[in-house]
């Protein structure tokens, strides 16, 4: 009992001594200590609440898995697929806040199809500044899903949706404010292509819609091409050749990779997609999001756990397809010049 009592006394004295010590050093200490404490607190507070205004562009670190592959563009089909595969899954910029917009609803359940990621960092997403400068969104490939487009319009953006394949009148304005154009995206202007569609280049559309001198705050492309593939490679090629990649702040698109990769046609496209995205990276674009689109596979195969990796080998020699939804941010955007 005496031992316990003494222990409590000692403990009480120790706590009292500690309190006195803290008081003396924090409140009775020198002005330098208090000033340094104030500076540290202010710095911590600012770093917690201030948005990321001017992030440093991260270096491109090639995937280690690709180091043993042959030269790009002349390697065997399996190696060219492996190179593209490694690139797509190597995130180049960690966006501090990613927001998914849109998403299809099937049978009362949202499966995520049609949703696209937007990096909400203030450096990459300006939104509406309140001075009349509305964010501008171009969305190519709609089908029956306007969910992404409507979501961006509800943010106050000027949204233009393009799709020549759906039965909807040209220049229809939706309740959300989205303007629909019965036009497709292509590498050349055509009033009627082999599918009977009206096709335009990005440069032509920017000029005809009066967007010269504007930024495209988000460019979304999900375009299925009859017979396989998509039109994303034609758009990227135009952006690279004309310099229009400069005026796009964020670029989200679905990669349509068809097989067999041993077929010269699809092998060439595999190589083109890798080259184009690599060039965008050299020009200041950074991949910040990648998602497998295996939603249809899971329905057809009745396997909710089906993953993209299960098609990696078969697409080399079979008529298989791989779909990736990827998104980039541009670290050095400039106004469009058309």
């Amino acid at each position: 009992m005496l031992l316990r009592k003494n222990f409590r006394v000692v403990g009480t004295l120790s706590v009292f001594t500690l309190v006195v010590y803290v008081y003396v050093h924090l409140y009775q200490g020198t002005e330098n200590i208090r000033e340094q404490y104030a500076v540290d607190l202010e710095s911590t507070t600012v770093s917690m609440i201030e948005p990321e205004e001017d992030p440093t562009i991260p270096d491109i670190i090639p995937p280690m898995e690709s180091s043993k592959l042959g030269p790009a563009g002349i390697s065997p089909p399996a190696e060219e697929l492996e190179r593209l595969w490694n690139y797509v899954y190597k995130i180049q910029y960690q966006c501090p806040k990613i927001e998914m917009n849109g998403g299809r609803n099937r049978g009362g359940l949202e499966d995520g199809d049609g949703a696209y990621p937007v990096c909400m960092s203030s450096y990459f997403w300006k939104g509406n500044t309140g001075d009349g400068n509305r964010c501008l969104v171009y969305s190519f490939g709609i089908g029956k899903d306007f969910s992404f487009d409507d979501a961006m319009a509800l943010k106050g953006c000027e949204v233009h949706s393009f799709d020549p394949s759906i039965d909807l009148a040209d220049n229809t304005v939706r309740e959300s404010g989205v303007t629909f154009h019965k036009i497709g995206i292509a590498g050349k202007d055509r009033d009627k292509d082999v599918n009977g569609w009206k096709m335009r280049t990005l440069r032509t559309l920017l000029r005809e819609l009066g967007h010269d001198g504007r930024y495209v705050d988000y460019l979304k492309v999900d375009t299925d091409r009859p017979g396989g593939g998509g039109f994303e490679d034609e758009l990227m090629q135009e952006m690279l050749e004309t310099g229009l990649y400069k005026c796009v702040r964020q670029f989200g698109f679905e990669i349509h990779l068809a097989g067999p990769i041993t077929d010269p046609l699809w092998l060439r496209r595999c190589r083109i997609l890798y080259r184009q995205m690599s060039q965008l990276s050299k020009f200041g674009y950074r991949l910040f999001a990648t998602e497998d689109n295996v939603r249809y596979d899971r329905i057809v195969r009745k396997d909710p756990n089906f993953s993209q990796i299960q098609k990696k080998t078969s697409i080399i020699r079979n008529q298989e397809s791989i779909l990736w939804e990827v998104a980039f941010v541009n670290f050095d955007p400039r106004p469009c010049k058309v």
Side-chain angles (χ1 to χ4, degrees):
M1 292 293 291
L2 181 60
L3 179 61
R4 290 184 179 177
K5 184 176 181 179
N6 291 338
F7 180 80
R8 287 197 296 271
V9 171
V10 173
T12 301
L13 289 173
S14 298
V15 172
F16 177 78
T17 302
L18 178 60
V19 170
V20 171
Y21 177 85
V22 171
Y23 177 81
V24 170
H25 282 76
L26 288 183
Y27 296 97
Q28 300 295 317
T30 64
E31 285 296 321
N32 289 338
I33 293 176
R34 288 204 299 271
E35 289 176 2
Q36 183 61 52
Y37 178 77
V39 170
D40 291 344
L41 180 60
E42 182 181 3
S43 299
T44 302
T45 304
V46 169
S47 66
M48 290 174 62
I49 65 175
E50 286 295 320
E52 183 184 27
E53 292 294 342
D54 191 6
T56 302
I57 183 169
D59 294 331
I60 295 292
I61 303 176
M64 292 183 59
E65 298 85 351
S66 298
S67 61
K68 297 182 180 180
L69 301 177
I74 59 173
S75 295
E79 291 191 17
E80 299 289 18
L81 174 62
E82 182 72 16
R83 191 187 332 275
L84 178 61
W85 184 281
N86 296 339
Y87 178 94
V88 167
Y89 288 113
K90 181 72 172 180
I91 297 300
Q92 300 168 346
Y93 170 65
Q94 297 292 337
C95 174
K97 183 181 179 183
I98 297 176
E99 179 181 285
M100 298 300 295
N101 287 270
R104 187 173 301 169
N105 188 301
R106 295 176 179 173
L109 298 175
E110 292 188 5
D111 64 3
D113 196 24
Y116 274 83
V118 179
C119 180
M120 300 303 294
S121 169
S122 61
Y123 183 80
F124 302 109
W125 181 252
K126 302 302 181 182
N128 295 313
T129 60
D131 56 2
N133 293 325
R134 299 175 65 192
C135 42
L136 178 62
V137 176
Y138 274 28
S139 176
F140 293 97
I142 309 301
K144 298 179 179 179
D145 184 10
F146 279 91
S147 61
F148 172 79
D149 310 59
D150 289 338
M152 301 306 286
L154 292 176
K155 289 182 180 294
C157 297
E158 177 184 346
V159 182
H160 294 268
S161 305
F162 305 85
D163 196 324
S165 69
I166 62 178
D167 188 17
L168 189 63
D170 190 31
N171 289 319
T172 295
V173 179
R174 292 172 57 80
E175 185 177 351
S176 63
V178 170
T179 301
F180 171 77
H181 305 272
K182 199 174 181 63
I183 302 172
I185 189 68
K188 295 182 179 179
D189 293 335
R190 299 183 180 92
D191 289 332
K192 184 178 292 186
D193 70 355
V194 294
N195 303 301
W197 296 342
K198 180 179 179 179
M199 309 295 282
R200 290 291 184 266
T201 64
L202 179 60
R203 176 186 286 274
T204 296
L205 290 171
L206 287 166
R207 183 174 61 250
E208 291 181 348
L209 294 176
H211 294 143
D212 185 32
R214 297 273 301 272
Y215 292 90
V216 178
D217 291 272
Y218 203 100
L219 175 60
K220 167 244 162 182
V221 184
D222 184 359
T223 52
D224 297 318
R225 185 195 301 265
F231 291 92
E232 62 270 14
D233 53 340
E234 290 191 36
L235 176 59
M236 281 193 285
Q237 191 61 36
E238 182 195 357
M239 290 168 65
L240 291 166
E241 290 179 356
T242 63
L244 286 176
Y245 67 86
K246 298 175 183 178
C247 68
V248 176
R249 294 190 191 276
Q250 298 192 44
F251 182 29
F253 62 99
E254 181 163 89
I255 298 174
H256 300 80
L257 184 64
I261 304 300
T262 51
D263 184 312
L265 174 65
W266 301 124
L267 173 59
R268 179 176 178 273
R269 190 161 189 278
C270 179
R271 289 167 170 166
I272 287 174
L273 287 168
Y274 172 77
R275 175 180 55 79
Q276 291 171 333
M277 289 189 291
S278 297
Q279 287 181 331
L280 286 176
S281 294
K282 291 180 180 179
F283 292 147
Y285 276 59
R286 292 294 182 268
L287 180 71
F288 75 90
T290 294
E291 183 177 357
D292 295 342
N293 186 349
V294 290
R295 304 175 188 96
Y296 181 76
D297 292 282
R298 290 175 176 175
I299 294 173
V300 172
R301 302 171 195 260
K302 298 180 180 180
D303 180 4
N305 298 314
F306 185 83
S307 65
Q308 199 94 277
I309 191 69
Q310 293 171 252
K311 298 193 289 185
K312 184 178 180 182
T313 301
S314 59
I315 193 176
I316 296 175
R317 293 181 175 82
N318 300 324
Q319 290 184 339
E320 187 63 86
S321 63
I322 285 179
L323 305 177
W324 286 298
E325 293 164 351
V326 297
F328 292 80
V329 288
N330 180 5
F331 274 79
D332 188 23
R334 309 289 176 87
C336 296
K337 299 296 182 183
V338 295

